[in-house]
């Protein structure tokens, strides 16, 4: 049980650092409420699960190819800058009276999924973190326990997503309309910043021989 709880804690720790997904969750929670923010996180967790599976079946050499890494950096750059610009353009349209749920819930899910699946840092993160966890766990436990402890990481990720969605959607009750606009604008700016960083990494891979 202690080991299971430690893996839940690992999942929480992996999700906690503020990055593109958390920035998007804060923005959607403020603008559209709990469900939109939560589904951003769910989409990201599904992407995390895909990468965990990739690590599990050992498709590491493919992701280590320079051409593949360059494509992933560029794709991530596009997704983040597009989402950031959209967020900033919609910032001025926010009001406290704005009805929740105007944006389709599925769009929030897809946004979270693509932001995570197109993030090369997510790939490297899971290859490094989960790869090492997998190697250690596989050496000590059977396959059934391996699946159980991997699911514990997922539980930790989902707990963080629910927490982020709850906190960000609750902020709407304490903020003025102008402050909502500023926060949404800054969230969009941070997403664009991450996108530019990804583009810079792609540029380095292409031209820094």
């Amino acid at each position: 049980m202690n080991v299971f709880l430690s893996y839940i804690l690992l999942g929480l720790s992996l999700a906690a650092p503020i990055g593109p997904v958390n920035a998007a969750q804060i923005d959607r929670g403020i603008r559209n409420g709990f469900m939109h923010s939560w589904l951003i996180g769910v989409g990201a967790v599904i992407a995390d699960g895909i990468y965990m599976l990739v690590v599990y079946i050992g498709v590491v050499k493919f992701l280590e190819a320079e051409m593949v890494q360059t494509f992933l950096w560029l794709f991530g750059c596009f997704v983040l800058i597009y989402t950031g610009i959209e967020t900033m353009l919609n910032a001025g349209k926010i009001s406290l009276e704005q009805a929740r749920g105007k944006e389709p819930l599925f769009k929030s899910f897809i946004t979270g999924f693509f932001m995570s699946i197109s993030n090369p840092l997510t790939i490297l993160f899971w290859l490094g973190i989960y790869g090492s966890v997998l190697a250690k766990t596989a050496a000590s436990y059977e396959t059934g326990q391996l699946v159980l402890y991997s699911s514990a990481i997922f539980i930790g990720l989902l707990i963080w997503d629910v927490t982020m969605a709850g906190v960000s959607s609750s902020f709407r009750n304490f903020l003025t309309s102008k402050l909502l606009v500023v926060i949404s604008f800054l969230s969009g700016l941070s997403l664009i910043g991450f996108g530019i960083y990804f583009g810079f990494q792609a540029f380095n891979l292409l031209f820094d021989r």
Side-chain angles (χ1 to χ4, degrees):
M1 191 62 185
N2 286 337
V3 178
F4 185 77
L5 291 173
S6 70
Y7 277 95
I8 291 178
L9 184 61
L10 174 63
L12 283 167
S13 301
L14 297 181
I18 297 297
V21 173
N22 281 342
Q25 276 192 287
I26 291 168
D27 174 64
R28 295 301 169 90
I30 289 171
R31 288 200 287 124
N32 297 317
F34 177 86
M35 283 301 295
H36 289 269
S37 178
W38 181 64
L39 284 171
I40 287 269
V42 171
V45 169
I46 297 297
D48 289 338
I50 291 172
Y51 283 129
M52 287 174 75
L53 185 62
V54 164
V55 175
Y56 185 80
I57 62 177
V59 189
V60 177
K61 292 295 180 185
F62 174 73
L63 293 174
E64 287 178 347
E66 196 170 278
M67 184 182 296
V68 174
Q69 287 185 16
T70 302
F71 169 76
L72 290 169
W73 282 116
L74 286 172
F75 186 51
C77 172
F78 168 77
V79 170
L80 289 172
I81 290 178
Y82 174 82
T83 307
I85 290 173
E86 185 182 47
T87 298
M88 292 174 73
L89 290 175
N90 290 331
K93 302 174 185 177
I94 299 172
S95 68
L96 291 175
E97 294 76 27
Q98 185 180 31
R100 293 185 178 189
K102 281 189 174 181
E103 185 178 84
L105 288 171
F106 185 68
K107 184 179 179 182
S108 294
F109 172 82
I110 287 297
T111 298
F113 178 80
F114 276 114
M115 286 179 71
S116 188
I117 202 89
S118 65
N119 185 346
L121 294 179
T122 304
I123 303 168
L124 298 174
F125 188 76
W126 284 110
L127 285 176
I129 302 296
Y130 185 63
S132 59
V133 167
L134 194 65
K136 179 184 175 184
T137 309
S140 309
Y141 303 102
E142 297 176 357
T143 305
Q145 289 172 302
L146 198 61
V147 173
L148 180 66
Y149 295 143
S150 295
S151 67
I153 295 176
F154 259 89
I155 291 170
L157 293 172
L158 289 170
I159 289 172
W160 178 259
D161 289 336
V162 170
T163 303
M164 282 291 293
V167 169
S168 61
S169 59
S170 297
F171 280 163
R172 292 178 56 140
N173 301 323
F174 304 102
L175 298 173
T176 64
S177 294
K178 286 184 178 180
L179 198 52
L180 286 176
V181 171
V182 170
I183 291 174
S184 188
F185 187 84
L186 290 175
S187 295
L189 201 60
S190 71
L191 292 174
I192 292 172
F194 282 113
I196 291 171
Y197 171 74
F198 283 14
F200 181 71
Q201 295 301 318
F203 181 84
N204 281 343
L205 278 174
L206 282 170
F207 301 106
D208 187 18
R209 300 299 183 194

